[in-house]
Amino acid sequence: MSNGSGGLRERKKQQTRRAVSEAAIALFLERGFDDVPVSEVAAAAEVSTMTVFNHFPTKEDLVLHRFEDHFDDIVAVVLGRAPGESAVGALRRHFLAALDRHDVVAGLDDDPRVLAFHRMVLAAPSLRLRVLEQSARTVEALATVLAEQSGAGPRDVAAHAVARTVAAQLCGVQNELVRENVRRLAAGETAEEVRADAMAAARQAFDLLEHGLGGYCV
């Protein structure tokens, strides 16, 4: 009986969370993130402001929770790569496949709702800052994985510094590729129009990571 009650509570909790999120996104898309107070989100979802903050600790979480499943994709790809495959090779393969699917994680989804969501995030300074903060956390998480896989000990300061440098490069390249794709789609190009350039840029960028920037900076 207690298990059933617990399951019911969890379902109600998820239903409330979903209702609050959907109400928030609808209002933010209509009027802009900065112009909608949390109290209006609560009213639209027919809950109290306290309930909103119980589910989403900050206003920014109302938006960025939708990215949660993707923030650590890079780490998962590196951890799950095939034996003998380099981290760069695994990320190149994963990113090119996402481009081929016109996947949102590669910034190549031109669904109008997705584009409206991107424009809303780009227009809000606090959301852009939170994305940057999360990107920094992803770099640290990837650096930890790379250091462990290299066999670096906890006191090997130099090895950990190198791991962070490599992680920053891996994350930075992918972030910039995504950002450029989103920029072009937001400016009015279609995913199909952007795809060929996006694939070429990704191949060149990952090749430079694997073989050295000297091939570019000449």
Side-chain angles (χ1 to χ4, degrees):
M1 194 60 126
S2 60
N3 288 339
S5 298
L8 179 60
R9 282 196 299 272
E10 183 60 29
R11 286 195 297 275
K12 287 184 176 179
K13 180 179 177 181
Q14 292 304 318
Q15 288 170 356
T16 299
R17 179 179 171 86
R18 185 164 52 251
V20 169
S21 173
E22 289 175 355
I25 296 301
L27 287 170
F28 295 155
L29 289 176
E30 179 184 354
R31 289 164 46 200
F33 178 80
D34 291 328
D35 293 328
V36 179
V38 174
S39 59
E40 287 193 32
V41 173
E46 300 183 338
V47 299
S48 68
T49 301
M50 182 176 292
T51 296
V52 173
F53 283 121
N54 283 341
H55 289 276
F56 302 96
T58 70
K59 183 181 177 184
E60 288 74 22
D61 289 323
L62 286 162
V63 175
L64 297 181
H65 81 94
R66 296 196 171 196
F67 295 160
E68 286 175 352
D69 292 340
H70 301 303
F71 279 134
D72 292 328
D73 278 356
I74 288 178
V75 177
V77 170
V78 170
L79 280 171
R81 70 188 189 272
E85 185 177 33
S86 69
V88 175
L91 290 172
R92 178 202 289 113
R93 172 176 51 76
H94 181 263
F95 193 75
L96 289 174
L99 287 174
D100 199 46
R101 298 191 304 270
H102 291 188
D103 199 311
V104 66
V105 300
L108 207 59
D109 186 340
D110 57 4
D111 184 294
R113 295 167 297 180
V114 173
L115 291 179
F117 189 87
H118 282 310
R119 291 189 184 104
M120 181 259 293
V121 172
L122 292 172
S126 64
L127 289 175
R128 295 200 307 271
L129 178 60
R130 278 286 301 276
V131 170
L132 289 174
E133 290 172 348
Q134 180 56 53
S135 295
R137 286 192 288 272
T138 299
V139 169
E140 285 300 317
L142 180 58
T144 298
V145 168
L146 293 174
E148 289 175 351
Q149 292 185 340
S150 72
R155 296 180 181 276
D156 194 338
V157 176
H160 284 276
V162 169
R164 281 193 296 275
T165 300
V166 172
Q169 295 299 312
L170 291 171
C171 294
V173 162
Q174 184 156 313
N175 288 342
E176 289 304 319
L177 291 170
V178 171
R179 188 174 292 115
E180 174 63 9
N181 295 340
V182 169
R183 183 194 67 77
R184 291 182 62 178
L185 294 184
E189 295 183 74
T190 67
E192 195 53 46
E193 289 170 335
V194 174
R195 180 178 175 277
D197 287 343
M199 296 285 278
R203 290 192 178 97
Q204 182 177 0
F206 282 110
D207 282 350
L208 285 169
L209 275 181
E210 190 148 43
H211 302 299
L213 296 180
Y216 178 81
C217 303
V218 295

